[in-house]
Amino acid sequence: MAQQPISLPAKLINGGVAGLVGVTCVFPIDLAKTRLQNQRGRFFGSFSKRLTFFPTGAAVNLTLVTPEKAIKLAANDFFRQRLSTGELKLNVFQEMLAGCGAGMCQVIVTTPMEMLKIQLQDAGRLVTQQRKLPVLHTVKLGTASPVLNCSYSVGPVSSTRKVSAIQITQELLRTKGIQGLYKGLGATLLRDIPFSVVYFPLFAHINKLGKTSEDDEVPFYWSFISGCVAGCTAAVAVSPCDVVKTRLQSLSKSANEDTYNGLADCIRKIMRKEGPAAFLKGAGCRALVIAPLFGIVQVVYFIGVGEFLLGQTPFNLYSV
């Protein structure tokens, strides 16, 4: 049986819609994960303090997650088709290779998206620290000159000013150029490529178990379960890389926090000062984010909104 050619525009639309729906559902947990990974010392602070800042960074995430998820999911389907030789079934190595290609493509959007999202999500932590010290805190971009922080205080706490993602982007482009938005690119590659290499083959094999026969469609609930299991497994596997990436991309440094000079320096300082357990900070929250995110994303992706909008197939919510 020959494999049907895919419509790349339709897959891109499916991925974008799926990403928007999924991220909207799980964003609050993602915010808590970022705060935990940037937290020094004790792993868990007062969760109620985090609730205040749940909307922070949501606009950036929702804006940039559309092309990010579109690229990730569509690229995997594209590479799977290109690696196939007229047969539907790929071997595990080919599935891993397709996932690797998808991971490499997505970092074009993932790195600046994560860079801006982390600054906005991390704002609440700096505000909490600054309430204890009624002095001016300077935020450093690595070892360079000071730049605007998402939220800073001069003198009394009442004079806290918010800075938008657009202002952060403009300041990064002015001081660092385009490479400022791609700070932590190496760590992002180390996270996203292994994640896709683990996730996509695992999802494909678990999802296939939901078929009662070769010609049957997989029920939508089984695709959701498959996305949750595969996403959770891949998320935990690459959690150390996610911690390193978050630390490298966080520009909001208080007086007692380290700055890092590249990937190796970051790993060395975390290991020396906080121990191996620090690399698993936020792993539980990350699993809680990724599991339902990819469960929802896969269900929405398979509904076929893109094919419907392009007039290729009739829209059928129950076809998945």
Side-chain angles (χ1 to χ4, degrees), residues 1 71 99 133 175 222 260 271 305:
M1 182 177 177
I71 291 170
L133 296 172
T175 58
W222 190 260
Y260 305 107
M271 178 68 73
V305 176

Side-chain angles (χ1 to χ4, degrees), residues 36-262:
L36 281 173
Q37 288 180 336
N38 264 329
Q39 180 178 322
R40 275 64 167 177
R42 295 177 62 85
F43 278 23
F44 300 100
S46 172
F47 193 76
S48 62
K49 293 180 180 178
R50 298 187 180 96
L51 292 174
T52 308
F53 299 97
F54 271 177
T56 309
V60 175
N61 224 18
L62 290 173
T63 301
L64 294 179
V65 79
T66 303
E68 187 264 329
K69 282 293 180 289
I71 291 170
K72 185 186 190 77
L73 296 170
N76 178 68
D77 280 351
F78 173 79
F79 286 121
R80 286 177 71 92
Q81 186 183 58
R82 299 296 294 180
L83 290 170
S84 66
T85 56
E87 299 178 356
L88 285 175
K89 189 174 181 179
L90 298 175
N91 60 45
V92 175
F93 176 75
Q94 289 174 317
E95 291 178 331
M96 293 173 69
L97 197 58
C100 177
M104 290 183 67
C105 290
Q106 78 172 85
V107 297
I108 298 171
V109 177
T110 303
T111 306
M113 178 191 78
E114 292 279 326
M115 184 71 179
L116 297 175
K117 183 192 74 173
I118 286 170
Q119 311 319 312
L120 295 171
Q121 286 185 344
D122 204 31
R125 181 175 62 88
L126 265 290
V127 170
T128 301
Q129 292 176 355
Q130 290 163 2
R131 284 172 180 167
K132 301 176 182 178
L133 296 172
V135 296
L136 173 63
H137 290 277
T138 302
V139 177
K140 298 181 290 182
L141 175 60
T143 56
S145 58
V147 299
L148 289 173
N149 184 22
C150 304
S151 162
Y152 61 90
S153 177
V154 180
V157 177
S158 59
S159 59
T160 301
R161 183 166 63 91
K162 299 292 183 180
V163 177
S164 68
I166 294 176
Q167 289 173 296
I168 295 173
T169 302
Q170 291 173 340
E171 187 67 18
L172 283 170
L173 290 173
R174 185 181 66 81
T175 58
K176 289 290 185 178
I178 190 66
Q179 63 266 33
L181 291 174
Y182 282 86
K183 183 180 176 68
L185 175 62
T188 306
L189 283 167
L190 285 178
R191 182 198 66 171
D192 287 349
I193 291 177
F195 179 92
S196 296
V197 166
V198 173
Y199 172 78
F200 283 112
L202 185 58
F203 170 79
H205 285 271
I206 297 175
N207 198 48
K208 196 180 299 181
L209 298 176
K211 288 187 175 183
T212 55
S213 68
E214 193 64 31
D215 296 328
D216 285 345
E217 296 288 343
V218 178
F220 78 92
Y221 64 84
W222 190 260
S223 293
F224 176 79
I225 293 171
S226 302
C228 287
V229 173
C232 181
T233 303
V236 173
V238 302
S239 185
C241 299
D242 192 48
V243 172
V244 173
K245 179 199 70 65
T246 301
R247 295 288 182 90
L248 285 173
Q249 292 185 321
S250 178
L251 304 181
S252 304
K253 305 291 186 182
S254 63
N256 62 336
E257 292 178 348
D258 291 320
T259 56
Y260 305 107
N261 186 24

